[in-house]
Amino acid sequence: MTPRTIFEPDHEIFRAAVRKFFRAEVTPHVDRWRHQGVVDREIFLKAGEQGYLLMWAPEQYGGLGVDDMRYEQIVQEENFRHGDPGLCLTLHSRVVAPYIGQHGTDAQKQRWLPAAVRGEKILAVAMSEPAAGSDLAGMQARAEEHDDHWVLHGSKTYISNGLLADLVVVAARTGRGADRAIGLFVVEEGMAGFRRGRKLDKLGLDAQDTAEMFFDGVVVPKHNVLGDPTHGFRYLTHALAVERLQIALGAIAHAQVAFERHARVRQAAHRLRPADRHVPGPALPHGPHARRGSTRCRATSTTA
């Protein structure tokens, strides 16, 4: 395999520490998490203790002030190798928290970022909706402005960290009629009218708490609004570019792990005696479709 050249010695020292952490604190619990359908909250606290959450956050908010994406990449790669993709540390740190870091006031940052750095407050973002999916243009959730607050109505679905999240950045329309203005509202656990629906069954990601959310007249104070309540679409599209980069990094890491595991299996099989290498395939079919069927069966037994 061609070695990668993007990492420096400090990154590799960091990787060794992260790998040790995942082997000790994550690997032993993965099967249980998949069975229960959600990771333990404590793993966010443990990751926070090690400084693995919101590494980019300035020191005044409890972070390390390190905005080098490669460190986040290492955490993601080691999670795929020794943990589980259902553990959404990267979503918490690099997808949701930057909405606060980039668009929040100093008071909002002081209020929310330190707890997120420590893993005491778990973050989620709510964009996708039952009727519109992730199409922001089709968003139906709406927020109505009042004197010192907004009232939020609507529902969201496919929300990762949906059961564990203490703070949810919710996108909702704030314009009237054809106005497509969108605002970002921080909804906190315990706000009246905010409730979570069922955990959604998925094909894979068994340990990820993907859930529905409902906002039935939730009163959101104006000091819980991020930035300009009409510029949310711009905020979202900018952040989605980073999110897609994170998805790409995760996909590559997952593929690499799968390739390496397959290579180890084939190497182990190659070391066996020739007589032990044979993996019997199914009996070859007969009849008018024998040629098509036999090709399929031979391919199956050859690649087993």
Side-chain angles (χ1 to χ4, degrees):
M1 181 177 67
T2 303
R4 292 183 292 181
T5 59
I6 65 171
F7 296 111
E8 300 171 10
D10 285 348
H11 294 110
E12 297 305 338
I13 294 172
F14 179 74
R15 184 185 295 277
V18 172
R19 181 172 296 172
K20 182 178 179 181
F21 170 79
F22 272 93
R23 284 175 170 171
E25 303 293 348
V26 178
T27 304
H29 305 291
V30 167
D31 287 342
R32 179 171 57 81
W33 290 347
R34 291 176 179 174
H35 178 74
Q36 68 189 25
V38 60
V39 305
D40 296 335
R41 291 187 64 92
E42 287 72 22
I43 192 57
F44 281 85
L45 294 171
K46 291 179 178 179
E49 290 173 359
Q50 299 300 318
Y52 297 155
L53 302 179
L54 280 71
M55 290 180 278
W56 56 267
E59 294 182 15
Q60 69 192 92
Y61 303 119
L64 302 176
V66 177
D67 200 23
D68 184 341
M69 181 75 78
R70 290 173 292 182
Y71 287 102
E72 193 69 51
Q73 179 180 353
I74 289 169
V75 172
Q76 192 170 16
E77 289 179 349
E78 295 307 311
N79 183 32
F80 275 76
R81 187 175 301 279
H82 300 291
D84 188 274
L87 174 57
C88 294
L89 299 181
T90 301
L91 172 74
H92 171 89
S93 296
R94 270 289 179 176
V95 175
V96 186
Y99 286 113
I100 301 172
Q102 294 171 11
H103 309 297
T105 64
D106 184 65
Q108 290 173 328
K109 295 174 188 177
Q110 290 284 3
R111 182 179 166 197
W112 294 318
L113 289 183
V117 169
R118 295 190 298 266
E120 296 170 0
K121 298 290 186 182
I122 299 174
L123 309 181
V125 60
M127 289 183 285
S128 298
E129 296 186 357
S134 58
D135 178 15
L136 299 180
M139 185 179 298
Q140 298 297 314
R142 180 169 296 278
E144 301 170 353
E145 186 176 13
H146 295 263
D147 292 337
D148 62 349
H149 64 276
W150 292 77
V151 178
L152 180 61
H153 298 273
S155 62
K156 302 290 183 177
T157 192
Y158 299 122
I159 309 304
S160 299
N161 284 351
L163 298 182
L164 293 179
D166 304 287
L167 302 175
V168 184
V169 176
V170 182
R173 290 197 178 282
T174 55
R176 297 181 179 276
D179 187 349
R180 294 183 177 273
I182 290 175
L184 300 182
F185 303 86
V186 179
V187 174
E188 303 181 60
E189 170 68 18
M191 284 186 169
F194 170 44
R195 58 189 176 89
R196 306 166 203 260
R198 61 192 174 95
K199 176 187 177 296
L200 300 174
D201 293 327
K202 307 177 299 298
L203 184 63
L205 296 177
D206 294 331
Q208 185 184 99
D209 55 323
T210 310
E212 301 169 316
M213 290 184 174
F214 302 94
F215 308 92
D216 303 320
V218 179
V219 175
V220 182
K222 286 193 173 179
H223 57 253
N224 277 37
V225 179
L226 295 177
D228 189 316
T230 65
H231 291 176
F233 184 85
R234 186 176 69 193
Y235 301 157
L236 291 168
T237 52
H238 175 77
L240 286 171
V242 178
E243 182 176 356
R244 281 161 173 73
L245 176 60
Q246 294 295 329
I247 292 172
L249 293 174
I252 293 172
H254 216 163
Q256 183 65 38
V257 170
F259 174 79
E260 291 175 3
R261 290 178 179 174
H262 177 73
R264 286 197 296 270
V265 170
R266 301 316 302 163
Q267 289 171 352
H270 184 73
R271 287 193 293 268
L272 296 174
R273 295 178 304 165
D276 294 332
R277 294 180 196 168
H278 175 66
V279 179
L284 297 181
H286 300 281
H289 304 293
R291 179 170 298 181
R292 180 179 178 183
S294 62
T295 301
R296 182 168 60 250
C297 292
R298 285 198 299 273
T300 302
S301 61
T302 301
T303 59

